[in-house]
Amino acid sequence: MSDTQTTLDHDRLDQFLGAAVVDLGAAISASLVLVGDRLGFYKALAQAPATPAELATRTGTHERYVREWLGNQAAGGYVQYDPADGRYRLDQAQALCLADPGGPVDLPGAYYLIEATFHALDRTVENFRSGRGMEWGEHHACLFHGTERFFRAGYNAHLLGEWLPALEGVTAKLEQGAKVADIGCGHGASTVLMAHAYPRSEFIGYDYHADSIRIASERAAAAGLGNARFEVADATGYAARGFDLIAFFDCLHDMGDPVGAARHARQALADDGTCLLVEPFAGDRVEDNLNPVGRVYYGASSQICVPVSLARNGPALGAQAGEARLRQVMTEAGFSRFRRATETPFNLVLEARP
């Protein structure tokens, strides 16, 4: 018998394998969450419980596949099963997170980000070897779609009611009529939400990804917003000045030159303006982030965030930069005041002022 076998802690082995099997089940189920989203299974179950045959009829799908999908989802706790009537259902929490894109959490939206990492897998492996990066626009379009959906849910839940009111004097300015820049706006979810809430203010969304700017413009037009417009520009390339508020929503840590982006924002702000940073929640030490949220963010950071920065020879702050590192960036950029305005389990909401 080998030394490994004689000294093996079987309880620890069982513990690790148990956790690994949970992860394996989650991994193989990720594509099935996308199936449920794309085929309307979650929305149909949110309307009424169903047997596999009933769900297949409602959604125009094949019962045999639906039966397996429901078994997988029930085993993972994403749907409820009642053996008394053979029907599957969503409880209130499941329906809110899986079937309501306007709710506070859009879980299927996050799974499109997972899909994007597999599209980029060969490139990621090569990046690990070479140290090279991957531009945002080089990713599969599912990344842009998933980012819009997942982050829009957080904005819907927190931006107007919590984050903006936590900033000193900002909501009063917005109500009266302010000039606002949304840097790295993507598809414009945050910009459109603010523009709708504050019709007297002017909003400009900037992003270096031209296709995202096209979609953002379409979103604003569809919402009938005359106070929001979008321009293709990176975080140091926009020319407008005199902003009362400049916002970076979950993007500063991705940038090739975060100090330069912050310095440009400092110069573009009015003398009494405010810079808003919304960043992934992170502590300043590695051990602070060894938790489920940190695991998600390190995973996204290594495959999406860090490559974007390295593609532009940046410092690759990463999604777990932490408040102290972000303070250092803003101070180096010329801001004299910096504080944590508020937080959620997923976000740090930071305020910097001249």
Side-chain angles (χ1 to χ4, degrees):
M1 182 176 292
S2 70
D3 291 341
T4 300
Q5 289 175 314
T6 57
T7 60
L8 180 64
D9 184 337
H10 289 279
D11 289 339
R12 171 60 186 138
L13 177 63
D14 290 344
Q15 179 189 42
F16 171 71
L17 287 178
V21 169
V22 171
D23 287 349
L24 185 61
I28 197 66
S29 303
S31 57
L32 292 177
V33 172
L34 295 173
V35 168
D37 182 67
R38 292 175 185 177
L39 295 178
F41 291 162
Y42 295 121
K43 289 183 178 179
L45 288 174
Q47 293 171 354
T51 64
E54 290 167 344
L55 183 58
T57 298
R58 288 186 207 164
T59 57
T61 54
H62 195 283
E63 184 273 342
R64 187 65 190 88
Y65 285 108
V66 171
R67 198 190 323 163
E68 297 301 296
W69 183 87
L70 285 166
N72 166 273
Q73 295 290 289
Y78 276 48
V79 306
Q80 304 293 320
Y81 175 63
D82 186 351
D85 63 7
R87 285 186 168 84
Y88 297 81
R89 55 184 42 82
L90 296 182
D91 63 26
Q92 185 180 28
Q94 291 164 336
L96 189 66
C97 295
L98 295 168
D100 182 6
V105 178
D106 185 352
L107 271 182
Y111 278 87
Y112 286 88
L113 279 68
I114 306 301
E115 180 188 4
T117 66
F118 280 93
H119 282 292
L121 180 57
D122 289 344
R123 184 72 172 273
T124 297
V125 171
E126 179 54 32
N127 286 342
F128 269 72
R129 290 193 177 107
S130 68
R132 289 193 291 267
M134 183 173 180
E135 291 275 12
W136 179 261
E138 294 182 89
H139 279 279
H140 190 279
C142 63
L143 176 64
F144 319 136
H145 171 71
T147 298
E148 177 187 13
R149 282 186 53 175
F150 183 67
F151 285 92
R152 180 178 60 204
Y155 302 149
N156 287 340
H158 302 291
L159 177 55
L160 300 180
E162 300 171 27
W163 297 349
L164 292 176
L167 305 176
E168 184 181 344
V170 166
T171 54
K173 291 181 181 179
L174 291 170
E175 289 166 356
Q176 294 165 7
K179 185 176 180 181
V180 180
D182 189 351
I183 311 300
C185 65
H187 287 183
S190 49
T191 324
V192 167
L193 184 63
M194 292 188 292
H196 186 269
Y198 297 102
R200 294 182 179 178
S201 291
E202 173 193 4
F203 296 85
I204 309 173
Y206 296 106
D207 201 292
Y208 80 137
H209 186 228
D211 198 51
S212 288
I213 288 297
R214 176 186 60 80
I215 293 173
S217 298
E218 293 172 356
R219 297 280 193 269
L225 296 172
N227 63 331
R229 58 187 173 88
F230 298 89
E231 298 180 9
V232 178
D234 67 21
T236 60
Y238 56 96
R241 294 291 186 269
F243 289 103
D244 298 291
L245 173 66
I246 295 179
F248 294 84
F249 290 103
D250 287 291
C251 64
L252 187 71
H253 65 271
D254 294 341
M255 293 181 177
D257 184 9
V259 173
R263 183 178 293 116
H264 192 81
R266 169 68 183 85
Q267 294 166 352
L269 275 175
D271 291 341
D272 62 345
T274 299
C275 186
L276 166 63
L277 299 182
V278 177
E279 283 284 305
F281 192 96
D284 294 322
R285 304 174 302 169
V286 170
E287 57 266 37
D288 297 332
N289 303 318
L290 301 183
N291 53 60
V293 173
R295 185 186 189 191
V296 171
Y297 283 145
Y298 278 126
S301 187
S302 60
Q303 299 173 83
I304 301 170
C305 308
V306 164
V308 171
S309 183
L310 290 181
R312 300 201 160 201
N313 301 309
L317 291 178
Q320 296 290 269
E323 184 175 343
R325 183 70 182 92
L326 294 166
R327 178 188 295 273
Q328 181 181 347
V329 167
M330 302 307 286
T331 300
E332 188 175 342
F335 288 90
S336 63
R337 289 175 285 174
F338 182 90
R339 70 183 182 97
R340 185 185 302 194
T342 187
E343 64 187 59
T344 75
F346 294 100
N347 292 104
L348 292 173
V349 181
L350 306 166
E351 178 185 53
R353 304 195 67 186

